[in-house]
Amino acid sequence: MRIAVCLCQVPDTASVIGFVEGAVDLSRVNEVMNPFDEYALEEAVRLKERFEGSEVTLFCVASSSAKEMLRKALAMGGDRAVLVSTAELSDPFQTAMLLSRAIAGFYAGALPDLVFCGKHSTDFQSAQVPLMLAELLGMASVSAIIKLQASAEGLQVEREIEGGIEYLDVHYPALFSVEKGLNVPRKTTIKGVMEARKKPIDLLPVTASERPFVEITGMEPLVTKKTCRFVTEPEELVRLLRHDRALF
Amino acid sequence: MTVPYSEPTGKRGDLAAMTKWLVFLEQREGVVKQSSIDAWNRVQELAASRPDVAVSGLLAGPASLGHLEGSLAGKGVIAHAKDECFRLYNQERYLRLVADILNREGAGSLFFADTVLSRDLAPRLSVRLHASLLSGNPIFDDARAADDGGCRRPVYSGSFIASFAPRRPLGIYIIASRRTPSVDYPGARIAFVDLEACAVAGEALFPLVRRLAMHQGTLDVAEAGIIVAGGRGMGGPEDFALLEQLARLLGGAVGASRPVVDEGWRPHAEQIGQTGKTVAPSLYIACAVSGSLQHLAGMGSAGTVVAINRDPHAPIFDVADYGIVGDVHLVLPKLIEALQEFLKKG
């Protein structure tokens, strides 16, 4: 089975993002693998372990600084990585476009059997790249899956919807974006880290030739601080919520 | 292999004439979702200051229209695709339906409520129609303004608010959830027209939703107007009975912080925050939730926030409107009792 996993980097949640001269300053930010991508990678590696002769290839659109993150992903069980290195910022459509080219190029025009992506990146939470990529590749897709059962013939997946669960049947080739809960990602082992050093990371320097669909035109710090009114008695709170706020 | 993408060749409609907006309405098990009703009303609100805009709707799947009486604002025609083949969500079938109606209507903007379905559908639609896809709060205050037609939403765990602008003539908007008050709109003029039967009904289009199982009797946190959330400070899974009781009293849903879900005390479906759901209820009661940045990222748009915590320095109090410093095990029973007393009096 040929499995592709798309990975991206996001600021570590403990990092403080600066704001300098009207722009976001990410210079002091520690970048890590997007948490949802860890579930995507874990699922791919589990399938590789089940289906003999499988290969897991990682695809990432980022600056060359993503190599360290890709080494970790290789240590978790990826076989090789393709880093689409681009210095420019790209919108989700451009990112999907670059990924689709990298994937089409890597598999020489054929499609991988499966593509896994995280549900969304935790920094922008757009949740657009995975399904845009599926449309560009012409693959079946299901977003935000929480369960996957694969056989040689086809796949059965589950997706959490508001207040319930959808059970879906899918054929190969297919792309899935994955939700937390699908699995528990493994920790890297020393053996894995050693092996990862020998695995190839191919650099694919490209620029987006398509214009973006969407542009960011402004970014401002968001102040969410409120002045808390402390009360001591629950009766008082009920009265305030009812009369001052008319909430029930 | 050539990647299937080309610049569109079709002509756009005359921009000086009426601008058409299309709102997608979603049903589950024959009931139009509240989030879709909220989205429709929000779009009507945006259109109210724009005399050049006409709003229409598309409702996919058989649904009872009776309970919509009075809940939809403004005026417009809603096309009802009531064919059985749209009852369960089918990505490809829905894609074709929306693209077809959008084309027929000549709409320049398409609006969705922020749901699991729209997040599954809209990105593919965006590529297929070469349309800009924006999510958050749409900006349509002034047609002459530079940011008109854009969207604003929090990014980086709610530390920043970003403005996004479309760069394509066609815009698809996923509107951030916001409960509109359930008031009656007596002056509204909404007409429903049935669409003809589905042309591709017999075709099995994968991925296929084989089955849908709804959880009985519980409200989803993403759709609740009131949320009672618990953090690790609750103590254990059995302590959430108090929160369930409070949520029932208020007609709300129970939510949880990440540590609570990671401990296995509550299901992931209830998790609020960066790796959980983003919610915007009118009332959010945070019980023994410390208020990490990751948690705040998921509830930053809540209306009124109440925090109950033992630690007076817990960051949750910085984003709360009302606070009680104390042990949830002592405060919550009193709060429940006070509320019961209150509701009895009416």
Side-chain angles (χ1 to χ4, degrees):
Chain A
M1 203 180 277
R2 295 184 302 177
I3 309 172
V5 182
C6 301
L7 302 171
C8 69
Q9 291 199 106
V10 294
D12 175 356
T13 48
S15 294
V16 177
I17 299 169
F19 192 69
V20 179
E21 287 167 14
V24 168
D25 173 22
L26 297 172
S27 61
R28 284 175 301 144
V29 161
N30 179 32
E31 302 239 45
V32 294
M33 192 191 303
N34 178 37
F36 287 101
D37 297 356
E38 292 194 22
Y39 306 113
L41 176 57
E42 176 63 32
E43 201 63 19
V45 174
R46 286 186 188 191
L47 288 172
K48 178 184 111 172
E49 289 163 351
R50 258 191 60 207
F51 293 92
E52 215 173 301
S54 296
E55 193 187 49
V56 173
T57 309
L58 317 172
F59 294 88
C60 175
V61 174
S63 66
S64 55
S65 66
K67 272 189 183 166
E68 197 185 322
M69 181 272 288
L70 287 173
R71 286 274 170 233
K72 185 194 165 191
L74 292 169
M76 282 173 74
D79 293 303
R80 57 190 306 145
V82 177
L83 174 57
V84 183
S85 57
T86 169
E88 302 149 61
L89 280 175
S90 51
D91 83 328
F93 168 69
Q94 289 173 315
T95 304
M97 203 70 211
L98 292 171
L99 283 170
S100 77
R101 289 224 178 87
I103 290 171
F106 183 84
Y107 295 102
L111 288 173
D113 299 295
L114 290 171
V115 181
F116 287 102
C117 305
K119 178 181 80 158
H120 62 222
S121 65
T122 53
D123 51 1
F124 274 67
Q125 305 192 320
S126 302
Q128 294 182 10
V129 173
L131 275 81
M132 283 183 164
L133 175 60
E135 179 72 15
L136 287 168
L137 291 170
M139 284 174 102
S141 61
V142 184
S143 59
I145 61 165
I146 52 163
K147 206 168 204 176
L148 179 138
Q149 279 180 294
S151 68
E153 293 76 39
L155 304 125
Q156 298 196 320
V157 296
E158 293 177 22
R159 162 172 48 207
E160 222 162 53
I161 59 162
E162 297 84 6
I165 292 177
E166 276 178 345
Y167 299 82
L168 299 105
D169 290 335
V170 196
H171 292 166
Y172 295 100
L175 178 147
F176 299 109
S177 83
V178 311
E179 171 68 285
K180 183 182 174 185
L182 180 67
N183 53 45
V184 179
R186 67 195 65 192
K187 301 269 181 269
T188 50
T189 60
I190 291 177
K191 184 166 168 270
V193 172
M194 299 292 277
E195 282 172 358
R197 284 190 198 156
K198 289 178 232 131
K199 293 176 180 174
I201 297 179
D202 301 328
L203 279 181
L204 204 64
V206 278
T207 46
S209 51
E210 286 79 16
R211 283 175 295 133
F213 277 14
V214 172
E215 270 181 78
I216 294 175
T217 52
M219 190 86 92
E220 287 165 52
L222 183 59
V223 181
T224 47
K225 274 211 187 322
K226 290 179 176 176
T227 313
C228 185
R229 176 168 172 184
F230 286 95
V231 295
T232 47
E233 291 307 316
E235 293 83 3
E236 172 74 353
L237 179 64
V238 171
R239 198 187 58 76
L240 286 167
L241 292 176
R242 170 78 180 204
H243 290 295
D244 291 11
R245 304 264 172 160
L247 282 164
F248 43 80
Chain B
M1 180 183 142
T2 53
V3 172
Y5 171 74
S6 59
E7 287 290 319
T9 49
K11 274 192 220 144
R12 305 265 351 137
D14 182 9
L15 289 173
M18 255 344 229
T19 304
K20 285 190 172 173
W21 288 359
L22 182 69
V23 183
F24 181 84
L25 296 140
E26 189 180 332
Q27 58 76 34
R28 290 273 188 202
E29 303 197 306
V31 179
V32 176
K33 286 174 80 87
Q34 182 60 45
S35 53
S36 289
I37 295 171
D38 292 340
W40 170 272
N41 291 341
R42 177 88 184 100
V43 170
Q44 289 289 349
E45 215 176 275
L46 292 167
S49 59
R50 299 288 283 263
D52 61 320
V53 167
V55 182
S56 56
L58 168 62
L59 168 56
S64 65
L65 306 177
H67 76 280
L68 290 174
E69 192 95 19
S71 63
L72 295 171
K75 58 181 181 187
V77 176
I78 296 176
H80 187 192
K82 60 197 291 190
D83 196 301
E84 272 302 314
C85 79
F86 296 114
R87 180 181 288 280
L88 289 175
Y89 172 61
N90 182 291
Q91 191 189 58
E92 186 55 36
R93 196 164 283 152
Y94 271 48
L95 277 169
R96 291 181 194 177
L97 173 70
V98 179
D100 188 32
I101 300 302
L102 199 68
N103 215 5
R104 197 192 296 186
E105 293 275 320
S109 301
L110 168 66
F111 297 87
F112 288 97
D114 190 355
T115 64
V116 174
L117 186 153
S118 67
R119 284 178 176 242
D120 193 73
L121 196 62
R124 289 199 81 130
L125 204 56
S126 159
V127 170
R128 197 168 292 189
L129 303 174
H130 316 291
S132 296
L133 173 56
L134 302 113
S135 51
N137 291 309
I139 309 156
F140 282 99
D141 309 326
D142 181 358
R144 291 156 302 175
D147 63 351
D148 192 72
C151 249
R152 257 188 228 120
R153 70 182 158 88
V155 295
Y156 293 120
S157 311
S159 310
F160 294 90
I161 188 148
S163 304
F164 297 85
R167 288 291 175 258
R168 308 289 312 170
L170 182 61
I172 302 176
Y173 298 85
I174 295 181
I175 306 178
S177 61
R178 193 192 73 178
R179 281 298 297 272
T180 51
S182 39
V183 292
D184 250 17
Y185 296 98
R189 279 178 292 143
I190 312 291
F192 286 87
V193 292
D194 291 348
L195 285 177
E196 61 273 34
C198 180
V200 286
E203 219 180 313
L205 295 166
F206 290 90
L208 196 69
V209 177
R210 186 172 73 249
R211 186 162 73 85
L212 173 68
M214 299 302 284
H215 306 312
Q216 294 308 312
T218 50
L219 188 61
D220 194 90
V221 278
E223 299 188 319
I226 294 178
I227 294 173
V228 182
R232 208 210 304 259
M234 288 301 298
E238 61 284 350
D239 297 280
F240 276 74
L242 278 171
L243 301 190
E244 281 172 0
Q245 200 185 345
L246 182 57
R248 250 196 319 275
L249 266 177
L250 293 167
V254 172
S257 69
R258 193 182 82 164
V260 164
V261 173
D262 288 352
E263 291 283 350
W265 299 351
R266 302 297 292 186
H268 175 253
E270 291 179 5
Q271 189 185 321
I272 291 160
Q274 201 166 40
T275 50
K277 285 177 177 154
T278 302
V279 296
S282 47
L283 174 61
Y284 191 86
I285 304 179
C287 306
V289 172
S290 64
S292 69
L293 197 62
Q294 294 94 298
H295 186 77
L296 303 185
M299 47 71 74
S301 306
T304 300
V305 177
V306 173
I308 304 167
N309 203 300
R310 240 183 348 207
D311 175 9
H313 303 294
I316 191 75
F317 287 120
D318 294 336
V319 297
D321 298 275
Y322 301 105
I324 294 182
V325 178
D327 185 340
V328 282
H329 301 96
L330 302 173
V331 176
L332 280 174
K334 280 199 219 163
L335 180 61
I336 289 165
E337 200 185 322
L339 203 59
Q340 278 167 335
E341 202 57 34
F342 209 91
L343 294 173
K344 227 187 289 169
K345 278 187 255 165

